[in-house]
Amino acid sequence: MAEQNSGARIPTVIADELHIVYRVNGAKTGKGSATAALSRIIKRGSDDAARGVRKVHAVRGVSFVAYRGEAIGLIGSNGSGKSTLLRAIAGLLPAERGKVYTDGQPSLLGVNAALMNDLTGERNVILGGLAMGMSREQIKARYQEIVDFSGINEKGDFITLPMRTYSSGMAARLRFSIAAAKDHDVLMIDEALATGDRKFQQRSEERIRELRKEAGTVFLVSHNNKSIRDTCDRVLWLERGELRMDGPTEEVLKEYEKFTGK
Amino acid sequence: MSEKTHDGGVAVSDRPSPDDGLTAAELAAKHGLSVSGARPGLAEYVRQLWGRRHFILAFSQAKLTAQYSEAKLGQLWQVATPLLNAFVYYLIFGLILKASRGMSHGTYIPFLVTGVFVFTFTQSSIMAGVRAISGNLGLVRALHFPRASLPVSFALQQLQQLLFSMVVLFAVAVGFGSYPSLSWLLIVPALVLQFLFNTGLALIVARMGAKTPDLAQLMPFILRTWMYASGVMFSLHTMLAGRPEWVIRALQVNPAAVYMDLMRFALIKDYGADKLPPHVWAIALFWAVVVFVGGFVYFWKAEERYGRG
């Protein structure tokens, strides 16, 4: 491994002193009263804090380089900035300071927001595919595969019914199937995606492994240390938006378990 | 083995490599990496948007279908809603306020219905545009696509909605004695120009609404003022008779009034060219091109900032 890597390690994602800040309107006092809103407007021109715009500094100066062929796990307690970091790498959240350089277009595995509950499963497969940037031909070619993978039609012809009639498990399975239908250069997986019954979970884990093989670099957010150990060779540990540790899986996880165990 | 490669911690390999000592920017440049989420050039942006045309169309159709999917009458509401709208305006302005002022019944009703539909087309494109980004943050934060897809798609949805309304409009025109003639062909260029104008406006308000979502609350009032100033339910020409010429001219070059007048001229037998301001097609073309191009560039300038907040 190392010998191959030494000369020809090709970076796919470079994060350079990355800062991400969310701005939340009217969160200062916690009550959204009219007078509070008015005073916020009057104080316009003064700094954000005085106007009641609260800043949430979600990622603070993270730097790392990811290389082709790496599977990188992201760990850290809730709210430590893992998902935010993924979105910034995908270019979906603008950086406050610093930059992310990427090779090609990294994609998040997730399509939920593009789907509409009032449409049939069939139309959602097409809409979701188009939203991810697939062509109509690609979708047509993959359509049956997506439906079969989701298992929606195992209990009757559900794919022609509106998605609002699906059980939550069925809807989640269809969403995952659509999202996983595309091949990616840099793939980012947020753990919340692994849903459905036991059988479907096994199928989706298998699909994620396939996607990993096709993708250049994979990022995986998970709170499950076992799945990190199974899939990743390198781990980034985020805490309060800062990169606390970056190294081989075992080393970082040992420290992390010590940290969370106490 | 691989432990060795990563021991150095953040971003630095302990093995001597030609990449050592490079800053992040130099390393990125060396391997041809580009800044994630950076705004592409205008030409490239147009190309990307064109590449997403199937998504834009599918999204607009999906929104249109989803709108009435729970109603018992289903898609029938696509036609019934504009019809009821026109009826309410007729009740108030035609029967109670008698705003027809010298127009015969056979002219006034198609005049009113055309005005309502054409103005609604612009109005709803703007209302949808204001929320195009701020109401779809989930989508903006999850998937990568040129953000202009959203306002364009919403404007396209309104165009399809209007095409449903046109069925009602044709029926009303014929019902009141204006039969299909060659002048009906003028509907097509008039609609194309208005669609360009609406899309431009949707792009402009989409950017403004993304930064200041409050605009969605304010917009209905602005639009209502605009509607009353554009002569939707009365003829500006008759209403303003006796006022200085420049007031009439100023109100007549107002884009909403121009597009309504063009549609009325095309459709209604007794609505002749004498009711149109001079150079009406040039004005219609001017508004369409200026607002569309300006709106597109204005929207594109903030491309990398959508999705924050």
Side-chain angles (χ1 to χ4, degrees), chain A:
Chain A
M1 270 287 278
E3 276 76 17
Q4 289 172 2
N5 284 343
S6 60
R9 291 214 306 164
I10 303 164
T12 52
V13 176
I14 303 173
D16 181 21
E17 280 296 313
L18 183 66
H19 289 262
I20 305 284
V21 177
Y22 287 102
R23 286 193 174 70
V24 188
N25 258 331
K28 188 188 176 189
T29 52
K31 45 184 181 184
S33 71
T35 46
L38 198 64
S39 70
R40 200 157 68 230
I41 294 164
I42 293 167
K43 281 179 196 154
R44 190 154 224 149
S46 50
D47 63 359
D48 279 346
R51 280 168 49 212
V53 177
R54 231 170 82 184
K55 286 185 177 182
V56 180
H57 206 145
V59 172
R60 306 158 185 260
V62 170
S63 299
F64 65 89
V65 180
Y67 295 91
R68 178 151 296 164
E70 276 184 330
I72 300 174
L74 273 136
I75 56 170
S77 45
N78 284 332
S80 56
K82 304 182 293 291
S83 299
T84 306
L85 181 61
L86 281 195
R87 288 190 168 163
I89 295 171
L92 297 165
L93 270 179
E96 177 84 3
R97 258 174 298 143
K99 279 198 171 77
V100 183
Y101 303 90
T102 58
D103 177 23
Q105 181 58 63
S107 12
L108 272 176
L109 186 62
V111 71
N112 307 4
L115 306 185
M116 295 179 202
N117 271 329
D118 287 327
L119 299 180
T120 62
E122 201 176 359
R123 284 191 71 173
N124 270 312
V125 171
I126 297 169
L127 186 63
L130 287 172
M132 292 190 301
M134 294 167 79
S135 71
R136 279 196 184 275
E137 293 71 41
Q138 282 172 321
I139 298 168
K140 210 176 278 170
R142 290 259 169 114
Y143 177 79
Q144 202 50 48
E145 207 180 304
I146 296 172
V147 176
D148 291 346
F149 185 86
S150 70
I152 292 288
N153 272 356
E154 280 164 11
K155 292 193 177 64
D157 184 21
F158 274 98
I159 199 75
T160 53
L161 284 178
M163 251 176 88
R164 62 167 186 273
T165 62
Y166 293 8
S167 74
S168 53
M170 276 165 77
R173 280 156 55 166
L174 185 62
R175 282 196 291 266
F176 177 84
S177 309
I178 299 172
K182 193 177 176 259
D183 303 327
H184 309 269
D185 297 334
V186 177
L187 179 64
M188 292 172 285
I189 302 163
D190 217 323
E191 63 170 348
L193 279 158
T195 38
D197 51 28
R198 186 72 208 121
K199 211 171 93 197
F200 186 74
Q201 267 179 29
Q202 283 170 350
R203 237 184 328 181
S204 45
E205 272 168 26
E206 205 173 295
R207 178 70 188 138
I208 288 183
R209 271 195 292 275
E210 269 178 49
L211 284 171
R212 262 201 58 192
K213 265 184 244 153
E214 290 156 15
T217 308
V218 174
F219 289 86
L220 176 69
V221 169
S222 182
H223 287 286
N224 181 348
N225 290 352
K226 184 176 174 299
S227 72
I228 296 264
R229 274 200 178 92
D230 285 351
T231 42
C232 303
D233 39 49
R234 175 180 171 192
V235 170
L236 304 181
W237 175 12
L238 284 177
E239 211 58 63
R240 291 167 181 276
E242 281 162 11
L243 190 59
R244 196 174 162 114
M245 219 178 151
D246 171 11
T249 307
E250 267 319 310
E251 242 169 72
V252 180
L253 278 184
K254 211 159 67 193
E255 286 299 311
Y256 182 60
E257 274 156 7
K258 221 186 285 170
F259 176 79
T260 48
K262 70 183 175 197

